[in-house]
Amino acid sequence: EAASLLAGLALVALDADGTLSLDAEVLALAPELDIRNRWSERPVRIADVLSHRAGFGPLRYRDLFAGEAPPALLAGVNAAWRSLETITPPGERQHFSLLSIALAAYLVEKAAGMPYKDVIDRLVFRPLGIEIQSPAAAFPATAFDEAIALPLTAGQLLRIGRLLANRGEYDG
């Protein structure tokens, strides 16, 4: 899943440069998120979101697809309010969710102070010489397009894989 990989790379890079801590509470960085956690003694942390262990329930189909045009990333995440309620204690179980990917992308955006795609472009794509085309118009507009609709070719994914295999060095 390329979207999860890219959001993870960006969060780890922001953690490495001191912009944020993966151990930080999500609501401390972004109190505007509509997260409802019934386990107040165990807050949702950025690392939980990144590992799909935030405790969120399943994303409902009706929350995924936007009406006319996709909303901004924050509005898209908060529109999935039914899925922002924890159903298990954060950190306890892994539940893959597109919501976690969109939430991770929003946290990148919030911490970096610039749009998510600009952060990914600066941290990953430009250094690797990758140019991204706009998502195909044939795909339905979702509330999370900004985080998940990054059409990458196999060659581009191989460049990113090479970066990971060489521990952050593309030619190393």
Side-chain angles (χ1 to χ4, degrees), residues 26-27 29-36 49 56 73-75 77-78 84 102-104 106-107 110:
V26 169
L27 290 176
L29 175 61
E32 65 277 11
L33 291 167
D34 192 19
I35 294 173
R36 291 169 313 287
V49 172
F56 298 136
L73 196 49
L74 171 62
V77 170
N78 276 339
L84 283 170
L103 182 53
Y106 179 70
L107 295 173
K110 175 81 183 232

Side-chain angles (χ1 to χ4, degrees), residues 11 14-16 18-26 29 45-47 111:
L11 284 171
L14 293 170
D15 178 70
T19 301
L20 60 75
S21 168
L22 295 178
D23 292 323
E25 294 180 22
V26 169
L29 175 61
R45 301 192 186 286
I46 296 171

Side-chain angles (χ1 to χ4, degrees), residues 113-126:
M114 65 175 68
Y116 175 70
K117 286 187 179 179
D118 292 346
V119 177
I120 296 299
D121 186 54
R122 181 176 58 87
L123 293 176
V124 181
F125 296 150
R126 266 191 269 157

